[in-house]
Amino acid sequence: MNETVAAFLKHILQRHLERKQNRSVVIMESADIVDYVCNMYIGPALCILGIFGNIFNIFVLFRGRLLDSPYVYLKALSFTDMFALILSLPYLLFTKHSDNFSPNVYNAFVFLPVVNLLTAASVWITVGVTIDRFIFVKFPLLARSYSSGSRVKRRIFTIYTFGILFTLPRYFCYSLVNDLGVYRMEFTPFRDSAYYRVYDIVCIIIYHFIPLVIFVVINTYLIVAVYRARFLRQELGIRNNREQDWQVEQRRFTITLIGIIVISIVAIFPSTISDFSRLTNLSLHEYKLLRNISNLLLLCNLSMNFVLFCAFNKRFVRAIRTIFNKRRNKTRIYISFKSRTRSSRSDTCVVTRQHSFISACKM
């Protein structure tokens, strides 16, 4: 009887171990599939679209004479996102799984620290324009002095300076090891130390947790403010067209910012979870799966600003139309000038031929 019970318990234990192994195999396979699809197809496609979209944003923001302080933030944001995507594209396509020396140098000392700097700067530039918009909506009299162009440029410079100083420890996290001509990155003693763990927690709080709280609180307030302003406009029936257009334009920019904040929240929240999971006993494959999803969302965050500008910001769309209408008019003027020049030349040739013919007949 005891042997039968022991055999039954052994059978149950074996089945449990088999199920656990099968589950781990499924997790490994799904993590590898997600990693391959994200790095080889979706990620590079988002990078290419985002690079061209941000280049177009920069072109319109500068040529469209959008000089207000919020657009100074958007110019810096477009430059930051563009360079982050430019550095991410070769990493995804070529250097991530390379065993050569130069690609690993790029990964350890260019891509990882610089892209961390750029993504952190992108987050805090978005925080800056969010706070400015909150002050504009909540305290309109204070907004003019607080959000001047020179002060916005100083804030952007401060964000980059603080980001560079805070990124310096990341240059001491990896060392290159040569194993019979095969190069790979390995953690340095500093990367495995308690100091880096403290530094990592501080980075998560500064670059993920605090911006996330600011985004959620201010975005909620802005959504309520836009909702109330729409009904207030309908009740008051503003007659001054200039004032109405100005208020509609400000509301549109606020809606654009709300869209940027929502995408930032969606992108930052999984990244925050994955960063905190490094401090737990999460398995490597589960962390890899979570990290790939969060990286994909961050790439979407860096690439989607052009769509938001065109969808919600009418002033941005008007700037696009103005630029292309000017170019079209210049092209038409050039073509008409060419056609007139050719026609005048042909008329001159005809007159010259007629004159020579008349002179020949007189002779």
Side-chain angles (χ1 to χ4, degrees):
M1 183 70 180
N2 292 331
E3 293 179 356
T4 305
V5 173
F8 180 70
L9 293 174
K10 185 177 180 181
H11 175 71
I12 292 176
L13 182 61
Q14 288 178 351
R15 290 290 300 273
H16 178 70
L17 291 174
E18 288 176 0
R19 288 177 182 175
K20 193 172 182 180
Q21 290 176 355
N22 292 332
R23 189 181 304 168
S24 63
V25 169
V26 170
I27 292 173
M28 289 173 58
E29 290 178 352
S30 60
D32 292 336
I33 292 171
V34 171
D35 182 70
Y36 181 78
V37 172
C38 290
N39 292 325
M40 295 304 296
Y41 295 102
I42 302 177
L46 287 174
C47 287
I48 293 170
L49 292 175
I51 290 169
F52 283 105
N54 283 298
I55 289 173
F56 191 78
N57 286 344
I58 294 167
F59 175 76
V60 174
L61 289 170
F62 278 95
R63 293 299 299 271
R65 297 180 180 179
L66 301 173
L67 304 177
D68 299 341
S69 58
Y71 293 99
V72 177
Y73 280 113
L74 296 185
K75 290 173 186 177
L77 185 64
S78 297
F79 271 112
T80 305
D81 293 349
M82 181 187 68
F83 284 117
L85 292 169
I86 288 172
L87 292 175
S88 299
L89 185 60
Y91 173 78
L92 293 173
L93 290 177
F94 307 111
T95 66
K96 183 176 182 180
H97 300 290
S98 178
D99 297 329
N100 297 324
F101 177 73
S102 298
N104 280 281
V105 170
Y106 175 82
N107 294 340
F109 304 110
V110 178
F111 170 75
L112 291 174
V114 177
V115 169
N116 271 286
L117 164 65
L118 293 174
T119 51
S122 177
V123 169
W124 272 99
I125 289 171
T126 309
V127 171
V129 70
T130 303
I131 295 174
D132 277 22
R133 184 51 37 170
F134 170 75
I135 293 173
F136 179 84
V137 174
K138 183 69 175 176
F139 310 103
L141 297 178
L142 182 64
R144 218 172 251 188
S145 60
Y146 179 81
S147 302
S148 62
S150 59
R151 291 189 177 185
V152 169
K153 290 176 183 178
R154 284 199 295 268
R155 290 187 200 110
I156 294 171
F157 179 77
T158 304
I159 288 170
Y160 272 105
T161 303
F162 182 79
I164 290 170
L165 294 175
F166 227 72
T167 307
L168 289 178
R170 297 189 184 276
Y171 285 95
F172 304 98
C173 292
Y174 297 96
S175 61
L176 299 183
V177 177
N178 184 4
D179 187 9
L180 299 176
V182 176
Y183 290 90
R184 68 179 186 275
M185 294 189 305
E186 285 190 355
F187 288 157
T188 60
F190 169 72
R191 178 64 175 77
D192 291 327
S193 66
Y195 297 105
Y196 184 82
R197 188 176 289 265
V198 173
Y199 165 77
D200 202 17
I201 294 172
V202 173
C203 284
I204 293 171
I205 294 172
I206 292 176
Y207 290 122
H208 288 168
F209 185 73
I210 293 176
L212 196 62
V213 173
I214 293 173
F215 287 154
V216 170
V217 173
I218 295 183
N219 198 44
T220 304
Y221 176 83
L222 291 177
I223 291 172
V224 174
V226 169
Y227 183 76
R228 287 178 179 175
R230 180 179 297 176
F231 283 96
L232 188 63
R233 254 183 68 251
Q234 292 176 357
E235 290 179 2
L236 295 178
I238 297 173
R239 296 180 180 179
N240 190 348
N241 291 330
R242 289 186 178 180
E243 187 176 356
Q244 183 179 2
D245 292 340
W246 182 82
Q247 288 193 1
V248 170
E249 181 180 326
Q250 295 301 320
R251 194 180 78 248
R252 284 281 182 177
F253 185 85
T254 305
I255 294 172
T256 305
L257 181 61
I258 289 171
I260 294 173
I261 294 171
V262 169
I263 292 180
S264 298
I265 292 172
V266 173
I268 292 174
F269 186 69
S271 181
T272 306
I273 294 174
S274 64
D275 286 338
F276 272 116
S277 67
R278 286 205 307 264
L279 308 175
T280 62
N281 294 323
L282 193 69
S283 68
L284 178 62
H285 298 288
E286 291 174 345
Y287 170 74
K288 192 175 180 181
L289 183 65
L290 182 62
R291 194 67 193 174
N292 279 317
I293 294 173
S294 65
N295 287 339
L296 196 64
L297 291 174
L298 286 174
L299 288 177
C300 290
N301 184 32
L302 298 173
S303 306
M304 292 296 291
N305 289 336
F306 170 71
V307 178
L308 295 174
F309 292 168
C310 291
F312 299 113
N313 197 328
K314 283 191 175 181
R315 188 175 177 186
F316 185 82
V317 176
R318 282 200 306 269
I320 295 174
R321 290 174 181 171
T322 303
I323 292 170
F324 282 97
N325 285 334
K326 284 182 180 179
R327 289 186 171 274
R328 190 181 301 171
N329 292 333
K330 287 181 180 180
T331 305
R332 287 178 180 175
I333 292 170
Y334 179 76
I335 293 171
S336 63
F337 176 76
K338 280 287 188 181
S339 61
R340 287 177 185 176
T341 305
R342 289 177 182 175
S343 62
S344 62
R345 285 179 181 175
S346 62
D347 293 340
T348 305
C349 292
V350 170
V351 171
T352 305
R353 288 175 183 174
Q354 289 178 354
H355 180 71
S356 60
F357 178 74
I358 292 171
S359 300
C361 290
K362 286 182 179 180
M363 291 178 64

